[in-house]
Amino acid sequence: MWKATYTGWMLAWDELAQLDGLGGSIRARRIELGWTQSELAERSGVPQADISRIENDRLDARWSTLQRLLTSLAEGAEPRRSLANGRRVTATPTPSNKWTPSTPATRIQRSST
Amino acid sequence: MDAEHAGDAHPTLLDVILRDATAGDDAALASFDPGSGTSWLDEVAEIVGGLIAWRDDPAEPAFDRRAVVAEEGGQIVAVAAHERLEHERAGVLAAHRYLMVVAVRRDRQRSGLARLLAEAVIAEMQSDGVQSVSWLVHPANAASLAFSRSIFADADESSPPEDDPYLRFVLGL
């Protein structure tokens, strides 16, 4: 059901029509990502109450609403671009200049561990 | 590196203690307020709040993670954290480090703390034999960009695709 494309994980539209219980698939994908309904609501802009009803196949959702949900679920599979995952590099750093402190640095008290 | 640093180019007299963060700092870091209103400041708050768990992650000892706090009057007013860089093929690089964050508490910004802490951390890296330090700045974060370009004018600045949307600064030590 979930197909890898250059943008990450995307639901193949031609397979979408074959789904038996789209709501259950959305719920399964959300749980797979470790998201709550509230988190999916925040990411997609679809109210949490609507998500609950869609997942339980109790709401005949508009196509644009489904697109917002599916886009959010697809983006969730991509690695987050953040300061915290910026440590991986593709080349060894080769800086062109060397740093010289302009003022005496305050020393850091290091722990004994 | 990411924080609001405008006006940080000329440090005033500061009476702070710089020390390694301890597990006992966890609660203070969780409530540390670097400001809000932008996505990168929200990210900084999230990173600072999880620093002790990040540093002490038993699955990542090879990264030699460090978290340093600036303490003033018994309160944490600034935080910095860094670790070894990882090369996609060569693995962890002991002589090259990534400065993940330098954050100053909202009410102590523009005081020179960012410069004092960043320079102290980088000077320590230099004395430990580190050859380069890298950091990322969001291109819309004008204050941090100005800080990086003025305080570390010798740093190389680039936009590698793997760091999109951030700009990467690399400083030789």
Short mmCIF file of all heavy atoms in Angstrom, two decimals, chain A residues 64-87:
data_model
loop_
_atom_site.label_atom_id
_atom_site.label_comp_id
_atom_site.label_asym_id
_atom_site.label_seq_id
_atom_site.Cartn_x
_atom_site.Cartn_y
_atom_site.Cartn_z
N SER A 64 -10.23 16.68 -0.44
CA SER A 64 -9.17 17.60 0.00
C SER A 64 -8.73 17.30 1.44
O SER A 64 -7.56 17.43 1.79
CB SER A 64 -9.64 19.05 -0.12
OG SER A 64 -10.80 19.25 0.67
N THR A 65 -9.68 16.85 2.26
CA THR A 65 -9.34 16.49 3.65
C THR A 65 -8.45 15.26 3.66
O THR A 65 -7.45 15.19 4.38
CB THR A 65 -10.62 16.23 4.46
OG1 THR A 65 -11.42 17.40 4.44
CG2 THR A 65 -10.29 15.86 5.89
N LEU A 66 -8.82 14.27 2.85
CA LEU A 66 -8.00 13.06 2.77
C LEU A 66 -6.60 13.38 2.26
O LEU A 66 -5.61 12.83 2.73
CB LEU A 66 -8.67 12.04 1.85
CG LEU A 66 -9.95 11.38 2.39
CD1 LEU A 66 -10.58 10.48 1.33
CD2 LEU A 66 -9.63 10.58 3.64
N GLN A 67 -6.52 14.28 1.29
CA GLN A 67 -5.20 14.65 0.76
C GLN A 67 -4.33 15.26 1.85
O GLN A 67 -3.13 14.96 1.94
CB GLN A 67 -5.36 15.66 -0.38
CG GLN A 67 -5.73 15.00 -1.72
CD GLN A 67 -5.75 16.02 -2.84
OE1 GLN A 67 -6.39 17.06 -2.71
NE2 GLN A 67 -5.08 15.71 -3.92
N ARG A 68 -4.92 16.11 2.69
CA ARG A 68 -4.13 16.71 3.78
C ARG A 68 -3.64 15.65 4.76
O ARG A 68 -2.49 15.67 5.22
CB ARG A 68 -4.97 17.77 4.50
CG ARG A 68 -5.09 19.06 3.70
CD ARG A 68 -6.35 19.83 4.03
NE ARG A 68 -6.40 20.30 5.41
CZ ARG A 68 -7.48 20.83 5.96
NH1 ARG A 68 -8.60 20.94 5.26
NH2 ARG A 68 -7.46 21.23 7.21
N LEU A 69 -4.50 14.71 5.07
CA LEU A 69 -4.10 13.63 5.98
C LEU A 69 -2.99 12.78 5.37
O LEU A 69 -1.98 12.47 6.01
CB LEU A 69 -5.30 12.75 6.32
CG LEU A 69 -6.37 13.36 7.23
CD1 LEU A 69 -7.55 12.41 7.37
CD2 LEU A 69 -5.78 13.68 8.60
N LEU A 70 -3.18 12.39 4.11
CA LEU A 70 -2.22 11.51 3.46
C LEU A 70 -0.88 12.20 3.27
O LEU A 70 0.18 11.59 3.41
CB LEU A 70 -2.78 11.02 2.11
CG LEU A 70 -4.03 10.14 2.23
CD1 LEU A 70 -4.62 9.87 0.85
CD2 LEU A 70 -3.70 8.83 2.93
N THR A 71 -0.92 13.50 2.95
CA THR A 71 0.33 14.24 2.79
C THR A 71 1.10 14.29 4.12
O THR A 71 2.31 14.07 4.17
CB THR A 71 0.05 15.67 2.30
OG1 THR A 71 -0.59 15.60 1.03
CG2 THR A 71 1.33 16.47 2.17
N SER A 72 0.39 14.54 5.20
CA SER A 72 1.04 14.59 6.52
C SER A 72 1.62 13.23 6.89
O SER A 72 2.73 13.14 7.41
CB SER A 72 0.05 15.04 7.59
OG SER A 72 -0.40 16.34 7.34
N LEU A 73 0.86 12.18 6.62
CA LEU A 73 1.35 10.84 6.93
C LEU A 73 2.57 10.50 6.08
O LEU A 73 3.50 9.84 6.54
CB LEU A 73 0.24 9.82 6.70
CG LEU A 73 -0.93 9.88 7.70
CD1 LEU A 73 -2.09 9.02 7.22
CD2 LEU A 73 -0.47 9.43 9.09
N ALA A 74 2.57 10.95 4.84
CA ALA A 74 3.71 10.68 3.96
C ALA A 74 4.94 11.43 4.44
O ALA A 74 6.04 10.89 4.49
CB ALA A 74 3.37 11.07 2.53
N GLU A 75 4.78 12.70 4.81
CA GLU A 75 5.92 13.51 5.26
C GLU A 75 6.50 12.97 6.56
O GLU A 75 7.68 13.15 6.83
CB GLU A 75 5.48 14.96 5.45
CG GLU A 75 5.21 15.67 4.14
CD GLU A 75 4.65 17.07 4.35
OE1 GLU A 75 4.29 17.41 5.49
OE2 GLU A 75 4.55 17.79 3.36
N GLY A 76 5.68 12.29 7.33
CA GLY A 76 6.15 11.76 8.61
C GLY A 76 7.23 10.72 8.47
O GLY A 76 7.98 10.47 9.41
N ALA A 77 7.34 10.13 7.27
CA ALA A 77 8.35 9.09 7.06
C ALA A 77 9.70 9.67 6.68
O ALA A 77 10.70 8.98 6.68
CB ALA A 77 7.89 8.12 5.98
N GLU A 78 9.74 10.96 6.36
CA GLU A 78 11.00 11.57 5.95
C GLU A 78 11.81 11.97 7.18
O GLU A 78 11.26 12.39 8.18
CB GLU A 78 10.73 12.80 5.10
CG GLU A 78 10.06 12.47 3.79
CD GLU A 78 9.94 13.68 2.89
OE1 GLU A 78 10.68 14.65 3.10
OE2 GLU A 78 9.10 13.63 2.00
N PRO A 79 13.15 11.84 7.10
CA PRO A 79 13.97 12.25 8.23
C PRO A 79 13.79 13.74 8.51
O PRO A 79 13.70 14.54 7.58
CB PRO A 79 15.40 11.95 7.77
CG PRO A 79 15.32 11.84 6.29
CD PRO A 79 13.94 11.39 5.96
N ARG A 80 13.71 14.08 9.77
CA ARG A 80 13.50 15.47 10.14
C ARG A 80 14.77 16.27 9.91
O ARG A 80 15.84 15.87 10.29
CB ARG A 80 13.09 15.53 11.61
CG ARG A 80 12.73 16.91 12.07
CD ARG A 80 12.36 16.88 13.53
NE ARG A 80 12.12 18.23 14.00
CZ ARG A 80 12.09 18.56 15.27
NH1 ARG A 80 12.28 17.64 16.18
NH2 ARG A 80 11.88 19.79 15.65
N ARG A 81 14.61 17.41 9.27
CA ARG A 81 15.74 18.32 9.10
C ARG A 81 15.81 19.20 10.33
O ARG A 81 14.96 20.03 10.57
CB ARG A 81 15.52 19.20 7.87
CG ARG A 81 15.49 18.44 6.56
CD ARG A 81 16.88 18.02 6.18
NE ARG A 81 16.88 17.38 4.86
CZ ARG A 81 17.91 16.72 4.38
NH1 ARG A 81 18.99 16.57 5.10
NH2 ARG A 81 17.87 16.18 3.19
N SER A 82 16.77 18.99 11.14
CA SER A 82 16.84 19.79 12.36
C SER A 82 18.28 19.97 12.78
O SER A 82 19.19 19.35 12.25
CB SER A 82 16.06 19.10 13.48
OG SER A 82 16.80 17.99 13.95
N LEU A 83 18.46 20.85 13.74
CA LEU A 83 19.80 21.05 14.28
C LEU A 83 20.34 19.78 14.90
O LEU A 83 21.53 19.52 14.90
CB LEU A 83 19.76 22.15 15.34
CG LEU A 83 19.33 23.53 14.86
CD1 LEU A 83 19.13 24.45 16.04
CD2 LEU A 83 20.37 24.09 13.92
N ALA A 84 19.44 18.97 15.43
CA ALA A 84 19.87 17.79 16.16
C ALA A 84 20.31 16.65 15.26
O ALA A 84 20.97 15.73 15.72
CB ALA A 84 18.75 17.30 17.07
N ASN A 85 20.00 16.67 13.98
CA ASN A 85 20.50 15.60 13.12
C ASN A 85 21.45 16.13 12.07
O ASN A 85 21.63 15.56 11.03
CB ASN A 85 19.35 14.80 12.48
CG ASN A 85 18.60 15.61 11.45
OD1 ASN A 85 18.96 16.74 11.15
ND2 ASN A 85 17.55 15.04 10.91
N GLY A 86 22.10 17.23 12.39
CA GLY A 86 23.00 17.84 11.41
C GLY A 86 24.43 17.41 11.55
O GLY A 86 25.32 18.03 11.00
N ARG A 87 24.68 16.35 12.27
CA ARG A 87 26.07 15.98 12.53
C ARG A 87 26.69 15.12 11.44
O ARG A 87 27.88 14.90 11.42
CB ARG A 87 26.17 15.24 13.85
CG ARG A 87 25.27 14.03 13.93
CD ARG A 87 25.37 13.38 15.30
NE ARG A 87 24.25 12.54 15.61
CZ ARG A 87 24.10 11.32 15.14
NH1 ARG A 87 24.99 10.82 14.30
NH2 ARG A 87 23.05 10.60 15.49
#
